[in-house]
Amino acid sequence: MTAIPQGRTRRAALVGAMCALVVTGTGLTGCSEDPDAGTNGVGKLPAAQIQSKSRAAAEAAPAVRLSGSVVTSGRTYKLDMQLKADGGSGSVTAQGAEFQLLRIGEELYLKASAEFWNHQDGKDGKGDADGSDTAAAGKLGGKYVKVPQGDPSYKRFSGFTDKDVLLDGLLTLHGTLGTEGRHEQTGVRTIRVTGDKGSGGTLDVSLEGTPYPLLLVRAGGAGTLTFSDWGKDFTLTEPGKDETVDYGKQLPTS
């Protein structure tokens, strides 16, 4: 059972006592707590305005952490990323393979196991007869591999580390917007915005402080993401030379 914050309990008790006085003194037959009391007020707005304010808050925030799953082009990606204006870092899992991404400015690094690089070579871990592919994968495994900007993988992987690009593509609901009551995410009260009554996705927006997005359920079962650490800065550290491999102009491709 979810514990109810003491402040909310005391507030409810106070409202109940006030209602009793009103009923006793005036003969009125009912009283209820204002669901927007103590909130940022966005719960009173139309759904389109709530979504607009949440997107504006997300765009203005200097940093965010997002985690969960995204389904795109038939592939499911599990993400755990920290993002800010000049880069990002974190982990991505796709088709059972996990890899780390780090972007600082225009420099993008990918860190993965030797098994990952064998798969990228299209050899499924078998390698060439002379073992050269396996040896190459072994040199890349566990190292930060600098991704060349001209490589097709650069655009695909850098998108996971770009706050503006990623949020712009994700924070979208489809169809007619509406609201679906008050909810709670990790102890924070939220208002839920829906697209086509939920079939077009749902977005839980904070009712406390800045109206940041906190939970996104994408339309059509295309993934669920949670957002946290809004505005919380973090450090991006360039890997040392002994941790880095410069593969060249193009990475191995599958």
Side-chain angles (χ1 to χ4, degrees):
M1 181 180 294
T2 303
I4 301 175
Q6 292 185 356
R8 201 174 305 172
T9 303
R10 286 194 293 269
R11 185 171 66 248
L14 177 60
V15 171
M18 291 175 64
C19 287
L21 289 174
V22 170
V23 171
T24 302
T26 66
L28 297 178
T29 57
C31 183
S32 61
E33 182 181 7
D34 180 0
D36 293 303
T39 72
N40 54 27
V42 299
K44 298 179 180 180
L45 300 176
Q49 289 188 33
I50 299 173
Q51 185 191 38
S52 177
K53 283 184 174 292
S54 70
R55 288 183 69 100
E59 290 172 1
V64 65
R65 179 172 185 169
L66 62 85
S67 58
S69 61
V70 174
V71 180
T72 180
S73 302
R75 288 188 177 185
T76 298
Y77 297 90
K78 293 183 179 179
L79 311 178
D80 187 0
M81 302 295 301
Q82 286 183 290
L83 308 171
K84 59 181 181 177
D86 60 345
S89 66
S91 66
V92 179
T93 302
Q95 296 181 309
E98 180 178 349
F99 53 93
Q100 306 291 318
L101 289 174
L102 169 65
R103 183 175 63 84
I104 305 174
E106 298 299 319
E107 302 296 335
L108 177 66
Y109 301 90
L110 188 155
K111 182 179 180 179
S113 65
E115 288 78 12
F116 173 89
W117 292 112
N118 268 326
H119 178 73
Q120 287 293 102
D121 277 326
K123 306 300 183 181
D124 295 326
K126 297 177 182 178
D128 286 345
D130 61 2
S132 59
D133 285 333
T134 301
K139 292 180 180 179
L140 299 178
K143 297 285 188 178
Y144 284 98
V145 178
K146 189 174 181 179
V147 182
Q149 292 188 32
D151 189 275
S153 297
Y154 184 91
K155 183 176 181 180
R156 175 159 54 103
F157 290 141
S158 65
F160 289 121
T161 66
D162 191 314
K163 173 180 173 289
D164 292 338
V165 169
L166 199 55
L167 292 183
D168 185 60
L170 292 174
L171 295 178
T172 301
L173 299 177
H174 302 280
T176 303
L177 298 181
T179 57
E180 192 182 76
R182 273 68 173 172
H183 298 267
E184 189 173 298
Q185 295 297 326
T186 61
V188 178
R189 287 178 290 173
T190 65
I191 179 74
R192 181 165 296 168
V193 182
T194 66
D196 278 349
K197 298 182 179 180
S199 63
T202 67
L203 181 68
D204 281 27
V205 177
S206 176
L207 285 172
E208 302 179 17
T210 305
Y212 289 125
L214 297 184
L215 175 68
L216 172 70
V217 179
R218 303 182 73 206
T224 299
L225 289 164
T226 59
F227 304 89
S228 60
D229 293 345
W230 285 106
K232 186 177 180 180
D233 196 16
F234 59 95
T235 301
L236 292 169
T237 304
E238 186 175 355
K241 291 184 178 180
D242 59 335
E243 303 175 276
T244 308
V245 175
D246 191 340
Y247 193 83
K249 294 183 178 181
Q250 187 169 347
L251 297 181
T253 57
S254 56

